[in-house]
Amino acid sequence: MDNINNLIRKNIRSLTPYSSARDEYTSNQGIFLDANENPFGNLNRYPDPYQWRLKQILSSQKKVTVKNILIGNGSDEIIDLVQRVFCEPNEDKIIICPPTYGMYEVYANINNVEIISIPLTVDFQLDTKAILAQNAKILYLCSPNNPTGNALENLEYIIENFNGIVFLDEAYIDFSESPSLVSKINQDPNLIVSQTFSKARGLAAVRVGIAYANEAIITVMNKVKPPYNVSLLNQEAAVLALADEANFKSNVALIKVEREKLKNALLELDFVVKIYPSEANFLLVEMQNATEIYSILIEQQIITRNRSSVVENTIRITIGTPRENQQLMYALQLLES
Ligand SMILES: *Cc1c(COP(=O)(O)O)cnc(C)c1O
């Protein structure tokens, strides 16, 4: 692998980051006349720009140091940030492995970064040889993958042998039997693992995403992120959620049970062709007439995601509450011929 410093854009290497008032004076004791805040009110002060409290909890849970963590305003902000750190517009390339999460590509288009597309194989695994034959700054991988639901194999081999940054999106890792690779960030200096509070943690409204990486990468990402990128309310909501491990674990367990129940029920329907194996909180379901079923469900205000444009004749169904899943099944059973 190339040295991390050589992968960083030249202008970012030499960037003098903005030094915020809260960078220069970090104690929370004192009379604060430094940041042009309004002295009146409850939410009148800028939040901690480095989210130390949240990071301390994550650091002890994940067995990494706080210097290995960056918090984003959702993991989408992190996907973008990584491109802005490493990819020279109009010059550098990223690799995506479709069908996968769409934002890697959207941000590349926004950032004017060329996209190399190396589709997954027929069983939705990585084309390792084709990936390693490419020269690109960032390889975006998603495991378990969205929208296919499966965990990717050979990740460690690819991380060890890829010349650029490997961005591993673990948005669905808590629903998976496969281990997280957060533990590898210090032995693989080119690895960035992203996770989010939006899925298993149940805080999609809150917008908190996490990047775990080697300290050198986190340091340069901190130079580029907006100083106060995560609001106080968001930081507090994430901290609160982490205090309730029992609730988190039982929700995830219930969703996994419901995933298997829903899968078995769907397989009984005569128009269901195939359900792809899922280690996430959704099922990718192939149907004889997916687009038609999708529209009929919409009419009944049951909203699924039509993925037929990326995997032929499929809809992606998020696992709901037991009652929601039952209502979906009632609606589908009425459609049987
Ligand atoms: C939902 C999703 C995200 C979005 O995460 P936010 O933290 O809500 O921005 C990221 N990656 C994948 C693969 C997702 O499915």
Side-chain angles (χ1 to χ4, degrees):
M1 196 213 54
D2 282 332
N3 183 292
I4 290 296
N5 269 319
N6 298 334
L7 293 172
I8 298 169
R9 287 168 66 195
K10 273 204 206 75
N11 63 314
I12 303 295
R13 255 180 263 169
S14 58
L15 176 75
T16 307
Y18 178 70
S19 178
S20 74
R22 292 295 177 270
D23 275 333
E24 290 170 16
Y25 184 83
T26 54
S27 162
N28 56 6
Q29 298 297 311
I31 297 171
F32 288 94
L33 307 175
D34 58 345
N36 297 348
E37 297 150 333
N38 189 315
F40 308 111
N42 311 315
L43 293 171
N44 55 328
R45 300 292 174 189
Y46 281 106
D48 174 3
Y50 297 107
Q51 308 94 19
W52 291 115
R53 242 180 100 212
L54 179 53
K55 284 182 187 174
Q56 274 160 1
I57 303 169
L58 291 170
S59 135
S60 70
Q61 283 194 354
K62 304 286 177 179
K63 313 218 169 356
V64 297
T65 77
V66 291
K67 292 179 174 175
N68 294 127
I69 306 174
L70 179 129
I71 307 293
N73 185 17
S75 43
D76 285 342
E77 181 183 49
I78 295 171
I79 293 167
D80 178 38
L81 190 57
V82 172
Q83 285 183 17
R84 289 191 287 132
V85 166
F86 292 103
C87 297
E88 205 62 68
N90 246 321
E91 184 177 314
D92 288 329
K93 302 169 190 161
I94 63 155
I95 300 175
I96 59 167
C97 304
T100 192
Y101 186 52
M103 289 308 291
Y104 317 134
E105 184 174 357
V106 171
Y107 279 123
N109 289 329
I110 293 169
N111 293 325
N112 206 2
V113 172
E114 194 181 319
I115 299 161
I116 304 171
S117 187
I118 301 183
L120 297 175
T121 62
V122 283
D123 52 351
F124 296 145
Q125 288 298 332
L126 297 168
D127 186 343
T128 307
K129 246 191 177 160
I131 289 170
L132 294 179
Q134 292 292 340
N135 213 351
K137 275 289 182 74
I138 307 171
L139 166 63
Y140 282 99
L141 301 177
C142 183
S143 183
N145 186 41
N146 180 6
T148 61
N150 62 301
L152 299 177
E153 292 163 4
N154 301 323
L155 289 174
E156 294 184 52
Y157 178 78
I158 288 182
I159 292 162
E160 279 161 28
N161 291 283
F162 185 68
N163 257 326
I165 298 291
V166 178
F167 185 100
L168 176 60
D169 187 334
E170 290 190 338
Y172 299 98
I173 196 68
D174 295 307
F175 301 108
S176 174
E177 304 310 312
S178 313
S180 164
L181 295 193
V182 167
S183 59
K184 305 287 180 197
I185 55 168
N186 283 313
Q187 72 196 58
D188 294 309
N190 63 329
L191 173 63
I192 300 173
V193 177
S194 83
Q195 296 186 356
T196 178
F197 279 76
S198 298
K199 307 288 160 63
R201 286 279 170 194
L203 294 185
V206 166
R207 314 306 304 133
V208 174
I210 314 152
Y212 297 98
N214 177 287
E215 189 178 338
I217 291 181
I218 297 297
T219 301
V220 67
M221 285 171 74
N222 271 326
K223 282 170 60 171
V224 175
K225 81 169 183 68
Y228 305 110
N229 63 325
V230 183
S231 85
L232 174 75
L233 299 175
N234 298 4
Q235 294 183 43
E236 285 183 344
V239 166
L240 263 180
L242 290 173
D244 198 350
E245 279 303 286
N247 182 50
F248 164 69
K249 285 190 176 141
S250 72
N251 276 342
V252 168
L254 178 59
I255 289 168
K256 283 160 75 174
V257 167
E258 283 294 305
R259 178 180 73 199
E260 295 318 298
K261 277 212 292 215
L262 187 61
K263 181 177 122 191
N264 292 330
L266 287 165
L267 283 171
E268 298 289 313
L269 299 170
D270 58 15
F271 52 86
V272 167
V273 177
K274 176 174 182 173
I275 300 180
Y276 288 92
S278 173
E279 296 198 34
N281 65 334
F282 56 82
L283 294 169
L284 186 69
V285 184
E286 185 184 341
M287 295 173 172
Q288 282 160 9
N289 41 0
T291 297
E292 189 190 339
I293 302 276
Y294 166 78
S295 305
I296 295 171
L297 289 174
I298 291 271
E299 283 165 23
Q300 303 179 46
Q301 294 188 309
I302 299 175
I303 302 94
T304 64
R305 195 97 201 266
N306 190 353
R307 295 283 76 189
S308 299
S309 61
V310 288
V311 183
E312 220 179 310
N313 262 327
T314 55
I315 61 175
R316 191 190 68 195
I317 304 175
T318 306
I319 309 303
T321 63
R323 196 180 141 73
E324 288 170 335
N325 301 332
Q326 223 169 44
Q327 285 176 304
L328 167 74
M329 284 311 304
Y330 288 145
L332 289 173
Q333 279 155 358
L334 290 177
L335 300 178
E336 281 200 289
S337 47

